[in-house]
Each structure stands twice: as structure tokens, then as C-alpha cells.
Amino acid sequence: MSTMDLDTDSRIRRILEEHARLGRDVNTIADGDSLYDSGLSSHASVSVMLAIEDTFDIEFPDNMLNRRVFESIASIREAVDELLT
Amino acid sequence: MSSRSRRQLFDQLVEHGHFIPTGVAGLYGRGADFEDGVERVGQMIDRPSDRDGAERVHFPPIMSRPVLEQTGYMGNMPHLGGCVHSFAGDEARHRELLARIERGEDWSNFLEKTDVALTPAACYPIYPMCAADNDGRLHLGGRTIDLLAWIFRNEPSDDPARLQAFRQREMVRLGTPDEVLSWRATWMERGLALLTELGLEVEARVANDPFFGRTGRMLKANQRDQELKFEIQTPICSETEPTAITSFNYHESHFGETFGIRTSNGEVAHTACLGFGMERIMLALLRKHGMHVHNWPDDIRHALGYDR
């Protein structure tokens, strides 16, 4: 993994720490773990979405404003990568 | 939904004295037969609710504005709410206000906020009420509340089934996730049975609230994916676009968290509510059985207690 990739992942994790209001420490959550199972509510997922857009200067199209995209750190990472290219 | 069929239904309602126009779309008086019918539908709902031992309360059509802010309504559906503002100026200001009215100009900025807002959801006053009892700690088995509430929604429309002021027969269940979800499932079946007994063609479907804006699109998708909201729908103005006449809403821990309500074992309480749309049910009955209530089929009149 390049330093840019690490940067994206760590930025996503920082956003989750700040906005996701999870019941557990983000460091204990693996990339593929369900964020919903870790306590991510739909309102908090909206805050996460807005923070991701702000941080990465991207805009999620309507078809990506759904539950699946914000399911895990890996799925968020995939979405961000897609929108950055 | 054709505007012609809306117009036709509206005209029939006015002609038969069920709706009394006021000059504002979605704001109508109701006639005696209409109101009597609404009350009878309410009595049908009373029976299973009483057997459940639900607590009956009653709240006015306005609520605390700070509580409204706390519910997060202004984040979700700001376009549907309404707040009460009133004049608190002096005599000079009053003269200016009257001059504005005289000239037909906007006088909104002469009003100031008050502590009250129109109630956009019948269950809202229930949460602070439960939070204030026993320090927000529910007793074993949770709590079930039953109320008839006047609701305001800022959506003027020529659809006679879309009113700005209407009543919901609302029930709220607070407790553990299992208690709340099984209560919702029970009432969905009861609701379908009751409305079918009244001769209506009804169907339960997954639905979503009209959340505002882009973030609203995400909330809608979430709500549907998780099946948090169901509606019982029936044709009123259109066969192809039926109208929701009852809704069943699971809030997970949102209100328990927001208002500090806990179950008897200390967990954040989950809540759900259901709302029978009283005017919409009456409209569905009038559309199905005819505008003259005394000509309705005998079995329907019997179910509604007209012969007692």
C-alpha cells in the first residue's frame, strides 16, 4: 500500500472517530467490519457522508447515497477511490 | 394522479357537506356526517387498544418549540413544519404593521418567535412526558400510549387527501427492541383487518418519510432498506397511486437516546409509533361506499355502530 492509500484510510478512520458516534474505538474495527453492527445510525451515516465529501472534496451522486456504500471502511474507501479518479 | 379525479372528489365532498372550503388549499371545515364517521372509526380502534391496556392521553395541536428542536424535525422535514410567531411590538410598530396589511405587503418580520410550534408528528410530546417519569426509566414491559392528535403539515394541495391540518390516531410503544417490533407487527395485522372489515382494499408496503434535500435522499434509502416504515395504502383519488391511510414507524433508539428514556434493565429504550390517518380513512370510506353515509352497506354500518 502506498503512502497515499494509507492516507485515505487513515483520513476515513479519523472522520469515523469524529462523526460516526460508534459504540467502540475505531481502531478495533477492521476494514471489512459492518459499521452498522458497530453502532452507526442512519443519521450518523449522513454526518459521515458530509464529512467525507468535505475532506476529499468530492460529491456522492444520488445512486451512491445508500446504505451499502457506508457499510464498512472498505466500502467507503472504494467509493472515495472511484470518485477521486 | 389526475387533477381531474382530485377535483371531482373534492367537489363531491363539498357538495355533500363533508368538506367546507376556507379559501386555503388543504384547509377545510368538516361536516357533521364526516365527523360522526371519524368518531365511529375511532371507536373501532378503541377496542383493541383498551384490551392492550394502553394509556390514553391528549395533547393540544401545538407543542413546545424547544422540544421540536430536540426531535431533529428541522433537520429532517423543515419544509413541512410550522412555528407560531406573534406580535410583541409597541404602538408605533403596530401602526406600521397595520399599514403593511393595508397595502397588501408582507408583514412576517413584524412577528417574533414564541415557545410553541404546530405539532408535525403526534408522538413528539410523548417522549419528554416519558422522560420526565421515574427519571426516564420505564417499568418492566415498557409503556404503550394512545392519543388522538391534530397534526399540521405545510403542504397545500388540491388533493383532498392531502390536508394541512388533520388528525392521527396515534399509538406509541416504548420498550426493548423485541417488545417494540412485535407490537408493531401485531398492529399492522390489526390495522389491515380493521380496514378490510370496513370494506377497503388495502395493502401494506414499505415506505419512507419525505426527508428534505440530498441528505434526505440518503435517509430515505436507509429507511426503506431497513424497513423502518410501513404504510397501509388504499386508492382514494387514483387506483394506480394509492394513498397511505395508516403508517407504522420504527425509530430504533433515536428518541430513547435523544430524550434519555431507558428500559427497566437500563438499556436505551427503542420506540415505534403508528398513526391512523382519520380523515384519509373517512375519505376512503366515502369514495368506496358513496357520499351518503346512510346508504352505506349494512355490514359496514354495523361495524361502525350506526345501528346502536
Side-chain angles (χ1 to χ4, degrees):
Chain A
M1 216 186 284
S2 73
T3 46
M4 273 304 292
D5 292 334
L6 277 171
D7 194 42
T8 300
D9 272 349
S10 66
R11 286 163 98 189
I12 291 172
R13 282 175 180 273
R14 202 171 312 143
I15 287 168
L16 289 173
E17 253 161 30
E18 218 181 294
H19 296 276
R21 303 194 293 267
L22 300 175
R24 43 191 277 225
D25 184 354
V26 173
N27 294 322
T28 67
I29 300 177
D31 283 5
D33 285 350
S34 162
L35 294 171
Y36 302 118
D37 289 349
S38 300
L40 183 68
S41 71
S42 50
H43 279 87
S45 70
V46 171
S47 303
V48 167
M49 184 272 287
L50 293 170
I52 302 257
E53 288 190 330
D54 247 350
T55 302
F56 294 99
D57 196 21
I58 54 177
E59 190 173 295
F60 287 98
D62 280 2
N63 67 339
M64 285 172 85
L65 288 176
N66 61 49
R67 216 167 151 68
R68 280 177 309 286
V69 165
F70 297 88
E71 193 159 50
S72 65
I73 292 168
S75 63
I76 296 173
R77 162 72 194 283
E78 208 180 296
V80 168
D81 280 347
E82 192 184 313
L83 294 172
L84 282 175
T85 52
Chain B
M1 203 181 299
S2 86
S3 58
R4 217 186 96 232
S5 56
R6 291 178 178 189
R7 186 82 235 176
Q8 267 173 1
L9 179 59
F10 181 74
D11 287 345
Q12 282 182 306
L13 292 164
V14 172
E15 188 189 318
H16 290 88
H18 297 310
F19 271 6
I20 303 162
T22 65
V24 174
L27 188 64
Y28 315 116
R30 284 89 157 132
D33 282 352
F34 189 93
E35 281 303 289
D36 181 60
V38 163
E39 202 173 314
R40 290 172 185 285
V41 173
Q43 283 161 10
M44 280 181 83
I45 298 168
D46 287 350
R47 290 192 283 274
S49 179
D50 287 344
R51 281 196 299 268
D52 277 357
E55 299 169 58
R56 299 270 201 105
V57 295
H58 199 87
F59 279 88
I62 52 178
M63 63 175 287
S64 152
R65 185 183 42 76
V67 169
L68 180 69
E69 288 167 9
Q70 216 181 338
T71 64
Y73 193 80
M74 294 308 289
N76 290 338
M77 284 164 282
H79 57 307
L80 297 179
C83 284
V84 177
H85 294 70
S86 198
F87 178 76
D90 59 15
E91 289 191 50
R93 195 89 175 119
H94 183 222
R95 284 193 290 276
E96 285 175 57
L97 165 60
L98 293 179
R100 287 279 184 100
I101 293 174
E102 185 79 31
R103 293 192 300 265
E105 288 166 13
D106 182 25
W107 45 279
S108 325
N109 64 327
F110 281 74
L111 305 181
E112 289 164 37
K113 69 178 181 181
T114 65
D115 278 341
V116 303
L118 294 157
T119 305
C123 61
Y124 284 172
I126 300 306
Y127 306 115
M129 180 184 94
C130 292
D133 279 350
N134 197 35
D135 266 329
R137 192 72 161 240
L138 299 171
H139 297 297
L140 190 66
R143 218 167 158 178
T144 310
I145 319 277
D146 177 351
L147 66 157
L148 178 66
W150 273 99
I151 299 305
F152 171 76
R153 299 267 168 88
N154 180 31
E155 28 180 15
S157 171
D158 64 351
D159 177 357
R162 189 167 294 282
L163 303 174
Q164 294 203 53
F166 59 94
R167 279 153 300 183
Q168 281 174 345
R169 178 64 180 272
E170 179 89 357
M171 290 181 212
V172 189
R173 184 83 174 91
L174 305 97
T176 66
D178 279 345
E179 282 169 343
V180 167
L181 284 168
S182 77
W183 172 87
R184 184 176 75 152
T186 298
W187 268 100
M188 275 179 65
E189 286 193 32
R190 279 179 182 160
L192 285 167
L194 191 152
L195 296 165
T196 302
E197 194 187 337
L198 290 174
L200 298 176
E201 293 147 40
V202 287
E203 221 176 296
R205 293 195 178 95
V206 172
N208 59 265
D209 283 318
F211 294 109
F212 181 79
R214 273 188 80 234
T215 56
R217 249 166 259 138
M218 202 161 143
L219 292 171
K220 285 177 191 176
N222 261 297
Q223 195 180 36
R224 295 192 85 99
D225 277 348
Q226 291 179 274
E227 298 192 342
L228 298 179
K229 184 183 187 76
F230 285 93
E231 285 173 351
I232 291 180
Q233 299 176 350
T234 198
I236 295 184
C237 290
S238 158
E239 291 284 341
T240 51
E241 284 170 56
T243 303
I245 59 174
T246 304
S247 76
F248 303 84
N249 311 277
Y250 178 40
H251 318 121
E252 295 181 301
S253 61
H254 175 72
F255 291 110
E257 196 80 63
T258 302
F259 288 93
I261 304 167
R262 295 186 163 267
T263 60
S264 58
N265 63 5
E267 304 282 313
V268 178
H270 278 222
T271 66
C273 69
L274 67 88
F276 286 94
M278 300 308 284
E279 282 83 359
R280 283 187 173 182
I281 292 171
M282 193 58 195
L283 289 177
L285 291 170
L286 288 166
R287 179 201 165 270
K288 180 78 181 177
H289 304 305
M291 290 288 140
H292 294 280
V293 173
H294 50 262
N295 287 342
W296 284 2
D298 287 341
D299 58 335
I300 307 299
R301 286 181 59 83
H302 178 73
L304 287 164
Y306 280 100
D307 44 13
R308 284 197 275 281

